[in-house]
Every structure is written in structure tokens, then in C-alpha cells.
Amino acid sequence: MDIFTTENGAVRGFRASADVVAVLGIPYAAPPFGAHRFREPLPPAAWTGVRDGTRFGPVAPQSAELPGAPVWSPGDEDILTVNIWTPAPASASALDGGRRLPVLVWIHGGAYTFGSSAQPDFDGTALARAGLVVVTLNYRLGFEGFGHVPAGGATPYPDNRGLLDQVAALRWVRDNIAAFGGDPGNVTIAGQSSGAASAACLMVMERARGLFHRAVLHSPASPCYLPETAAATTREVAAAAGCPATPEGLTSSTPEALVAASDRVVDRYRRDPASGSRHYDPSLYAPVLDGDVLPTDPLTGIAEGLTAHVDLLVCHTTEEYWLLDAVGSSAKVTTAGQLDRFAADFTLPGELVAGYRAAMPDAPVLDVYLALYGDLLFGEFGNRLAELHARAGGRAFLSRFDRRRTGPDGVVRAWHCADIPFAFGNLDDERLAFLIGGAPTAPDRELADRMVRAWADFAATGDPGWPTVGDGSPAPGSAVPARVWRTEEKVSGDGPASGDRPAVPRALWAEVGLPLLHP
């Protein structure tokens, strides 16, 4: 029987396939509500008997309803759980001679506000079949996880509670993963978007040191917040919730009230073009540079060599922000005046915008804006993470996801999130058809096999199969080795394929600072 014993009790899983066992919804920390609300995570309570591990645990408080994933309901409190996929015992023995297997711990994205480990693209079966023990986790989101609670009373309310949850999950992995066939001495953290940015933060956090050995960052998002920015956000959310911005006022406001209040604040920014940089894709929450949990931002910490002991693999898609436009998250910028205002709101130099216009002479203004915004928040940030890591003495690898194909509605873009079903090997779930543009083709399956193999090899050995970023590369703007993920449908040659985004020289970013700290 597929029963595993953790430090807190036994849990029963199920066969996700003939050769992989899944165990879902295992608590790694106590429910963070009641007297524990806004506090550091506490160890989970022990249980007797055998716990059922055939269903995902509840998701963190949020208003999002994502395809194929559970929705949050008020009263759902046991939200700090992990899920595990591990090769069945006979398969594990055949894969690695009976030795413990490399572990990959996945941190989901969602702008620190929504999402969960139960999304269908994060099923770990294919990666387990490739020789990994896969762990996915839920953590506190929105105000519960990243809202600033002012100091007051004898017990402090720490910032970055979502990051502290992730550290607690990694400690649980260290203490329990051997029971599932995993090697606690060979752990890779991985994430996408805000999950990747969380992983970058973990790399520079003393609390997380020694809990992992490698990091995979897909589309890491750049901003961290200064304490004063986080405090100002708290005042806005508290006002929208009708409560004082005090520990007493915030703890008396229910999780659902703070979720609704946050949504109202986001809506105000979205409706007000004069509200500055938050207007374009409002995101209220991010890691806070509190000097304690998060002592420095990832770029600075990596440049100082704090992470040189961690192998790093960074990937971004070539058309990140086209997804945010397609789902209506991003503001429409369709005129030259709006584009200039966007640049001013983010304090971008005029020559950068002019360079994008010159590189994309036939593109509509909207496409220029989406290309610029995507590179600002994702592409350039990821490139710099890898280059600075290499310069500081670490091993770094770069890749780009550039898979497109022609679908019934035109060209399917290489946009934000499209790479994840390929990297997890999950192409056949109909709920992911929007991300990848319909049913997978044979070249799609071959691409997924290559990406799964790269993740598995990197987690096992630190080598995904292509050259490292050179430690002498000037940054930014230099050409560095990068694996470009494409299918055979990608047209090669001197010119771009139909529907390709024109190439923009990275040299345009050479003197441009990134918005690490939200204005």
C-alpha cells in the first residue's frame, strides 16, 4: 500500500500512474488563522491513524477562480500543505539503483495574490517519471501573506509571511522527504513569475540557507517593496475594508474582507490612468525589504556573492506580456502619447522607448508597449540575475521559451505561463489548451520531453545540457549562451517566422535601472 510516515503521522497516497505515487494535502505548518494569524508559521499538529492524501488541501484566501483548481471559501484554514509525486518503489529502484532521488520543490506564481499548487499545469507525474521527487506547496497570499501589519503589542507581526511559509515548507522537506524516496541533500527550488521571484528572495535569505542547492526561475518578476510602500498599501486596503490600519483593526477584519478590499483598491488603480505605475497592471503585494526576513533585494544580494553556492537556471518567454493583455489584466496602451506616459510613469529613458520603436517599425503601439513591459518586469530582470550570479562566482544557465504555432485564431504566442505545461510535461489537460493554443502536436510533445529532461538533469547534477553564462560577461547587453526552446514548427533562417516578435537589442538596457522598489 502507498502509505508513508512523516514526523507528524502516516499518510496514504494513490497511484497517479502505474509508476508514480501522488500524496496530496499534507500539512507542513499549522493553520495560520485565529491566534496564529499574521504570525510566523508554526509546526503542524500530529495526527493518529493514516491521513488521507488523495485530495489537494484548501487554497489560500483569494478571489480568483482558476480553471481546474479549487476556489477558496471562507472558513478554509488548513491552507499550508504540500503535495508530493514520487516514483513507485519499484520504479525508483530502477531509476537510481535504489538511492535517494533529487527533489524539486515548486512555488506557484500569481502576483503574490492568487494561485495554488493544485493548478493542473503543476501535476508532477511526468517529472517524477523522469527521476525526481516533486513537491508543490501552498503559501499565504495577498494581505495574509504579504500585507504589512504595523508594529504593536508584545508579539510582532513579521513582513513576508508568505516567504516564511515557503521556508517552513523547505524545512518540512528537509525533515520528511527521505520517507518519500527523496534526498534532502539534493533539493532544487523552482517557480514561475512571483513564484520565481519568491525563489530569488529565498536565495538571499539567511533563514533559507542550506535548505536547497539549486534554483530554477521561470519568468521571475522584479519588484520588491520598500517598507514605506508596503505601509501605504496597508492604509489603502484598511480604508477600503473600513477598519483602522492598526494591528487591532486588521486582525478584526476577516480574511474575506481584506481580499475584497484589496480587489477594490486594485480596481481603483486600474480605472485611473493618472495613478502612476500601478495603473498598468495593478499588483498590491510583493516581498518587503524589511531588513530582517528579507535583508536585501535579489539582484543586490546575488551581485554581492550571497548565492554563489547555489546553481541557477533562469528562463523567460519571448512574449511575456501578451498573456496579460489577452486576459485583460494589463492596461491598453495604443497611442504614442500613452506609450510616452507609460515610460514616464516607470522613469524609463526616452531613448529606450525610441529604440523599441526603431526595432519594431511596423508593429502597432500596443505591441511595442507589451514588448517593453515584458522585458522591463521579466526578461531583463531574469537576464541580470543570471549574469550577476555568474560574475559573483556562481554557476548560471539561461534559456528562453520561444515556441509558437498557428492556431484557428492566428499565431499562438510564446507568452507568460506558456512554458510551464511543457516543463512539467502536462500538455494533454484540456484546461491548459488556452495557454498552449489547443491540442498538442508531435513537435510540442518532443519539446516537452526535452524541457522535462533539462529540469530533471539540472535538479540531479546542476547541468541542464548547455553552456553556463560566462563569469566575464559584461552586463547588461552582452550576448551570453542561452538555450532557446522551440518546436520544429519554428521557421529558421535569416528572417523571423510569421508572427515573431522582432528582436530588440539588449544593449538598449545597458544604462537602465530596473524597478526593484515600487515607486
Side-chain angles (χ1 to χ4, degrees), residues 26 38 41 65 117 192 208 224 279 297 305 312 327 330 382-383 439 458 515:
I26 309 171
F38 302 143
E65 298 183 8
S117 61
Q192 187 263 350
C224 291
H279 163 67
D297 70 87
L312 179 62
V327 300
S330 174
N383 288 333
F458 180 75

Side-chain angles (χ1 to χ4, degrees), residues 443-512:
D444 286 336
R445 297 186 190 282
E446 188 273 336
L447 173 60
D449 288 344
R450 287 189 283 129
M451 293 183 70
V452 166
R453 187 73 264 154
W455 269 22
D457 288 347
F458 180 75
T461 68
D463 184 356
W466 61 89
T468 61
V469 176
D471 59 5
S473 300
S478 61
V480 296
R483 171 61 51 88
V484 180
W485 297 115
R486 294 170 174 155
T487 65
E488 295 175 358
E489 294 181 355
K490 174 75 170 86
V491 177
S492 60
D494 295 331
S498 174
D500 275 9
R501 169 191 154 181
V504 175
R506 275 200 67 214
L508 292 172
W509 289 93
E511 304 299 326
V512 179

Side-chain angles (χ1 to χ4, degrees), residues 331-416:
K332 292 287 187 183
V333 171
T334 58
T335 69
Q338 289 174 326
L339 184 61
D340 289 341
R341 183 167 190 165
F342 165 81
D345 283 338
F346 279 94
T347 65
L348 299 176
E351 52 267 30
L352 178 67
V353 179
Y356 270 71
R357 285 170 166 157
M360 305 173 67
D362 300 321
V365 170
L366 178 62
D367 282 5
V368 176
Y369 156 71
L370 295 175
L372 181 57
Y373 204 179
D375 289 346
L376 172 69
L377 290 189
F378 299 111
E380 185 60 24
F381 180 64
N383 288 333
R384 293 189 190 188
L385 283 174
E387 291 166 354
L388 290 172
H389 188 67
R391 189 174 298 107
R395 281 164 45 89
F397 300 86
L398 266 175
S399 59
R400 294 191 296 274
F401 183 81
D402 195 42
R403 173 266 191 189
R404 299 175 184 81
R405 78 183 213 204
T406 302
D409 300 319
V411 174
V412 178
R413 297 281 187 174
W415 56 22
H416 197 59

Side-chain angles (χ1 to χ4, degrees), residues 38-41 140 145-148 156-168 171 197-209 224-225 227 286-298 306:
F38 302 143
R39 309 290 193 186
E40 290 202 32
R140 281 174 283 185
F146 293 92
H148 172 74
Y157 298 96
D159 287 321
N160 300 305
R161 296 176 295 277
L163 296 180
L164 291 171
D165 292 345
Q166 295 165 18
V167 172
R171 288 175 178 155
S198 293
C201 290
L202 293 171
M203 290 175 66
V204 301
M205 288 170 53
E206 185 61 33
R207 283 173 170 83
R209 181 172 288 270
C224 291
Y225 286 174
V288 180
L289 293 175
D290 62 345
D292 177 21
V293 175
L294 185 60
T296 186
D297 70 87
L306 298 180

Side-chain angles (χ1 to χ4, degrees), residues 61-464:
Q62 59 188 279
S63 59
E65 298 183 8
L66 302 177
V71 298
W72 179 71
S73 298
D76 287 348
E77 295 194 345
D78 199 5
I79 62 172
L80 301 182
T81 59
V82 295
N83 316 294
I84 297 172
W85 287 260
T86 185
S91 301
S93 177
L95 281 168
D96 201 19
R99 296 190 298 272
R100 300 201 188 283
L101 297 173
V103 180
L104 185 136
V105 179
W106 177 254
I107 305 170
H108 71 80
Y112 307 101
T113 303
F114 62 89
S116 79
S117 61
Q119 292 170 228
D121 26 349
F122 309 151
D123 184 288
T125 301
L127 286 168
R129 194 175 289 128
L132 302 181
V133 175
V134 180
V135 181
T136 67
L137 63 105
N138 289 343
Y139 56 99
R140 281 174 283 185
L141 303 169
F143 197 94
E144 301 296 320
F146 293 92
H148 172 74
V149 181
T155 305
Y157 298 96
D159 287 321
N160 300 305
R161 296 176 295 277
L163 296 180
L164 291 171
D165 292 345
Q166 295 165 18
V167 172
L170 288 169
R171 288 175 178 155
W172 186 94
V173 167
R174 177 196 62 194
D175 297 339
N176 291 278
I177 204 63
F180 299 86
D183 181 357
N186 191 4
V187 175
T188 296
I189 58 172
Q192 187 263 350
S193 196
S194 60
S198 293
C201 290
L202 293 171
M203 290 175 66
V204 301
M205 288 170 53
E206 185 61 33
R207 283 173 170 83
R209 181 172 288 270
L211 296 175
F212 59 92
H213 312 87
R214 302 184 178 97
V216 177
L217 314 183
H218 274 232
S219 303
S222 59
C224 291
Y225 286 174
L226 291 169
E228 51 265 36
T229 303
T233 298
T234 291
R235 291 191 292 271
E236 291 182 277
V237 172
C243 71
T246 63
E248 297 77 16
L250 293 163
T251 54
S252 68
S253 189
T254 64
E256 55 265 37
L258 293 181
V259 167
S262 298
D263 288 346
R264 287 193 290 272
V265 174
V266 164
D267 188 61
R268 284 205 301 268
Y269 278 111
R270 201 181 301 281
R271 292 173 180 272
D272 182 7
S275 58
S277 60
R278 272 188 173 171
H279 163 67
Y280 298 92
D281 194 358
S283 180
L284 299 184
Y285 302 108
V288 180
L289 293 175
D290 62 345
D292 177 21
V293 175
L294 185 60
T296 186
D297 70 87
L299 279 182
T300 299
I302 285 173
E304 292 174 350
L306 298 180
T307 66
H309 60 288
V310 176
D311 295 333
L312 179 62
L313 170 57
V314 178
C315 181
H316 67 88
T317 72
T318 55
E319 296 171 308
E320 296 274 7
Y321 242 85
W322 270 260
L323 175 70
L324 289 308
D325 177 66
V327 300
S329 171
S330 174
K332 292 287 187 183
V333 171
T334 58
T335 69
Q338 289 174 326
L339 184 61
D340 289 341
R341 183 167 190 165
F342 165 81
D345 283 338
F346 279 94
T347 65
L348 299 176
E351 52 267 30
L352 178 67
V353 179
Y356 270 71
R357 285 170 166 157
M360 305 173 67
D362 300 321
V365 170
L366 178 62
D367 282 5
V368 176
Y369 156 71
L370 295 175
L372 181 57
Y373 204 179
D375 289 346
L376 172 69
L377 290 189
F378 299 111
E380 185 60 24
F381 180 64
N383 288 333
R384 293 189 190 188
L385 283 174
E387 291 166 354
L388 290 172
H389 188 67
R391 189 174 298 107
R395 281 164 45 89
F397 300 86
L398 266 175
S399 59
R400 294 191 296 274
F401 183 81
D402 195 42
R403 173 266 191 189
R404 299 175 184 81
R405 78 183 213 204
T406 302
D409 300 319
V411 174
V412 178
R413 297 281 187 174
W415 56 22
H416 197 59
C417 300
D419 50 336
I420 301 307
F422 287 86
F424 270 86
N426 293 328
L427 300 184
D428 292 306
D429 194 307
E430 293 182 355
R431 295 166 294 186
L432 304 176
F434 171 72
L435 281 182
I436 67 174
T441 63
D444 286 336
R445 297 186 190 282
E446 188 273 336
L447 173 60
D449 288 344
R450 287 189 283 129
M451 293 183 70
V452 166
R453 187 73 264 154
W455 269 22
D457 288 347
F458 180 75
T461 68
D463 184 356

